[in-house]
Amino acid sequence: MKDFITEAKKILIGNRKDGYTLPTNNKLYPAQWNWDSGFIALGYSYFNLKFALEEIKTLLRGQWKDGMIPHILFHDLNTNYYPNHSVWACGNKIHSSGITQPPVLAIILKIILDKNKIKDKEISKIKNIIKKIKKYHEWFIKYRDPNNSGLVSILHPWESGYDNSPLWDEPMNKIKVEKNLKYKRGDNKVVNPKYRPLDIDYDRYVTIKNHLRKNKYNPKKLYNKSLFNVVDVGFNSIFLKANKDLIKLLKKFNLKYKDLQKYISHSENKIIKLYDKKKNNFINFDLKNKKKIRIPSITNYFVLFADLKDKKINNKIIKSLKKHNTKGKFFFSSVKPNHYKFEEKRYWRGPIWINCNWIIYQGLKNKDKNFAKKIKKKTIDLVKEKGFHEYYSYKTGEGFGANNFSWTASLFLDLMLER
Ligand code: DGY
């Protein structure tokens, strides 16, 4: 029998560079990505704690002075990736992008510390990591929720991690592409363009990016000025969960936590306001254009991960999740298959992503054990049957995008080896 655990470990080691790990071993993503690194650290923690902590420490080395942790760190300047370090033209100590990504670090670090005993002489290093993560969370609260609404905004679709999700279609359609825009995509030379975002999407990604750069990435200005400003349920659920886990870490290591606790209760109350009773789903809000966004994206169910105290809503949402696409052999499709925007093979517009399954599985463990178990089994079986891909068709299980994908390997290890 094939040894999948050894294979998953080999993938991580194969993608590992000096203190960080590439999302894949092909040329698609030749840098360090923020949430990828979080998931990757979790995978390492099952066989090399040193690599796990190093992955996180390297990411934190690129933290900006104001607290932001970039979505990409460009350690290697000599690649064909677009947009690369020279067009972002920013960074602190390490060249980086000027936006962030879903803040999974606190969540991952808590899982790692819960299952590993830390030696006394390591404690001050761990405390340092936690303080930096706290600074990151404070940056979100200060600059991405300046009016203290309880919910944070993303200012670029890339910040969500689900870049070309139909969630962003309406706000993106409003963005006028910059005149005389010149740039060369690299991604669709590495992966079949049918599986990647469209050129018009990239035109707008680049337009927003250029606008951020023109504003010197000034977080004080950009909340109001950015061409894109969306309150996303998935992102806020991850942030809420991360805040809850961060508090536990702060308490455990005798660090200050009170200020953060207030924000958590505030967020918890506000996120519930995004619940649509009639449709029994959570909806997103396009702050820039003052419009509701109603797209049946799997990421709306990340709210289960946030562990809301409202059991009634949790139960209703689980019912709705069971209708997303759980009848077929493979799930969860990133967009509900009967929706007119669904595309079987295109990136975040339909395919299954292992991190989404993992997040929802985590959210269900303490709410619906049987369903959680089913998700775990389906996810493991998909990877075993089809390999360690970036994303998969919900119809056939066929893998697309990059292969030897690091977070697929990492999260597979977690599902297989968790206690
Ligand atoms: C990419 O290059 O496709 C990434 O998702 C952007 O962060």
Side-chain angles (χ1 to χ4, degrees):
M1 217 185 79
K2 209 168 154 190
D3 183 355
F4 292 99
I5 291 179
T6 307
E7 195 180 334
K9 291 179 185 171
K10 263 196 194 151
I11 286 172
L12 289 180
I13 297 295
N15 293 347
R16 191 163 189 273
K17 298 275 166 188
D18 194 9
Y20 71 99
T21 307
L22 301 175
T24 158
N25 66 348
N26 72 14
K27 295 197 169 68
L28 189 56
Y29 306 119
Q32 183 178 21
W33 261 260
N34 183 330
W35 74 332
D36 292 70
S37 261
F39 295 129
I40 287 165
L42 180 59
Y44 281 131
S45 71
Y46 286 97
F47 64 104
N48 193 323
L49 186 59
K50 186 170 159 264
F51 286 1
L53 295 176
E54 237 173 66
E55 187 74 33
I56 294 175
K57 279 188 216 155
T58 306
L59 186 66
L60 291 173
R61 268 210 293 129
Q63 181 168 35
W64 285 16
K65 291 211 173 86
D66 60 12
M68 198 267 273
I69 302 178
H71 101 294
I72 304 177
L73 297 182
F74 300 102
H75 299 283
D76 177 0
L77 305 186
N78 202 8
T79 71
N80 287 326
Y81 182 76
Y82 183 87
N84 69 6
H85 71 281
S86 68
V87 294
W88 281 106
C90 57
N92 176 35
K93 292 190 193 131
I94 303 171
H95 289 278
S96 75
S97 67
I99 54 173
T100 191
Q101 241 183 353
V104 298
L105 276 185
I107 302 165
I108 299 294
L109 186 66
K110 178 167 180 300
I111 305 178
I112 294 176
L113 295 180
D114 281 349
K115 65 188 175 72
N116 283 287
K117 221 182 137 30
I118 300 298
K119 292 186 199 115
D120 283 350
K121 64 173 202 273
E122 296 287 323
I123 286 184
S124 71
K125 282 185 201 150
I126 298 288
K127 274 190 172 178
N128 258 333
I129 295 179
I130 296 171
K131 281 185 201 159
K132 286 180 182 166
I133 298 177
K134 188 177 183 219
K135 197 170 168 202
Y136 181 35
H137 286 214
E138 286 166 349
W139 174 87
F140 270 112
I141 295 169
K142 186 164 174 196
Y143 295 116
R144 293 311 181 83
D145 183 15
N147 306 322
N148 195 27
S149 73
L151 299 169
V152 294
S153 285
I154 51 171
L155 304 187
H156 195 301
W158 282 338
E159 292 203 308
S160 70
Y162 15 109
D163 306 1
N164 68 336
S165 164
L167 284 169
W168 322 131
D169 284 5
E170 282 204 30
M172 286 289 269
N173 283 340
K174 295 260 159 49
I175 292 172
K176 272 203 205 106
V177 174
E178 196 182 299
K179 270 189 206 145
N180 306 321
L181 199 62
K182 266 199 204 113
Y183 68 98
K184 238 201 208 138
R185 287 176 69 169
D187 63 304
N188 55 7
K189 317 278 177 307
V190 186
V191 163
N192 188 333
K194 278 197 268 183
Y195 313 149
R196 293 288 304 173
L198 303 171
D199 282 341
I200 180 67
D201 297 329
Y202 260 78
D203 285 353
R204 293 193 172 112
Y205 297 149
V206 175
T207 299
I208 308 174
K209 171 192 70 65
N210 290 351
H211 180 260
L212 296 172
R213 179 178 169 179
K214 254 179 237 143
N215 283 284
K216 302 195 166 69
Y217 307 104
N218 182 342
K220 280 187 203 138
K221 279 196 198 158
L222 282 167
Y223 182 83
N224 291 316
K225 267 193 123 176
S226 173
L227 304 175
F228 181 95
N229 184 332
V230 173
V231 170
D232 172 52
V233 177
F235 196 96
N236 275 279
S237 302
I238 290 177
F239 188 50
L240 181 52
K241 165 74 174 159
N243 273 325
K244 288 180 178 179
D245 286 351
L246 179 58
I247 291 255
K248 289 178 192 141
L249 291 174
L250 291 166
K251 282 185 182 164
K252 183 169 168 176
F253 289 90
N254 297 316
L255 296 163
K256 275 197 217 154
Y257 64 88
K258 289 253 156 62
D259 33 345
L260 206 61
Q261 205 154 36
K262 264 194 216 143
Y263 192 78
I264 291 182
S265 353
H266 191 32
S267 302
E268 176 115 11
N269 294 332
K270 284 302 165 71
I271 214 167
I272 286 178
K273 298 248 159 32
L274 295 173
Y275 177 64
D276 178 350
K277 249 191 194 162
K278 256 202 201 142
K279 296 257 157 68
N280 186 23
N281 206 339
F282 276 79
I283 53 175
N284 291 344
F285 196 71
D286 175 0
L287 262 183
K288 184 85 189 166
N289 303 295
K290 308 259 175 310
K291 282 223 162 93
K292 289 178 179 161
I293 301 175
R294 297 173 181 281
I295 296 288
S297 167
I298 196 65
T299 56
N300 296 341
Y301 295 97
F302 289 179
V303 79
L304 294 163
F305 192 40
D307 270 336
L308 301 184
K309 283 187 219 103
D310 194 324
K311 287 209 173 100
K312 251 198 198 154
I313 290 192
N314 284 338
N315 287 336
K316 283 190 181 160
I317 282 297
I318 292 171
K319 258 195 191 156
S320 160
L321 175 63
K322 284 179 177 166
K323 290 186 211 145
H324 186 84
N325 80 298
T326 50
K327 293 231 171 72
K329 185 166 174 208
F330 308 106
F331 61 75
F332 293 106
S333 61
S334 39
V335 173
K336 199 169 176 176
N338 64 2
H339 192 264
Y340 74 105
K341 298 244 175 189
F342 170 86
E343 290 180 66
E344 183 195 346
K345 301 175 184 177
R346 199 183 296 283
Y347 212 40
W348 285 95
R349 301 182 74 87
I352 298 171
W353 287 79
I354 299 303
N355 67 334
C356 292
N357 284 20
W358 183 86
I359 287 172
I360 291 171
Y361 164 67
Q362 298 302 326
L364 280 171
K365 272 182 184 173
N366 60 357
K367 299 179 190 70
D368 186 335
K369 272 208 180 92
N370 285 335
F371 191 24
K373 257 195 210 154
K374 185 172 167 188
I375 296 168
K376 176 172 171 164
K377 184 171 183 319
K378 287 270 183 179
T379 308
I380 288 174
D381 289 351
L382 172 62
V383 175
K384 281 187 176 172
E385 195 177 319
K386 304 291 180 182
F388 293 88
H389 298 282
E390 185 179 2
Y391 41 98
Y392 305 82
S393 158
Y394 99 97
K395 284 187 185 159
T396 62
E398 187 187 348
F400 302 110
N403 45 28
N404 294 316
F405 200 65
S406 298
W407 87 31
T408 301
S410 262
L411 298 176
F412 176 83
L413 282 175
D414 181 65
L415 292 175
M416 292 289 287
L417 301 174
E418 67 168 349
R419 257 171 264 146

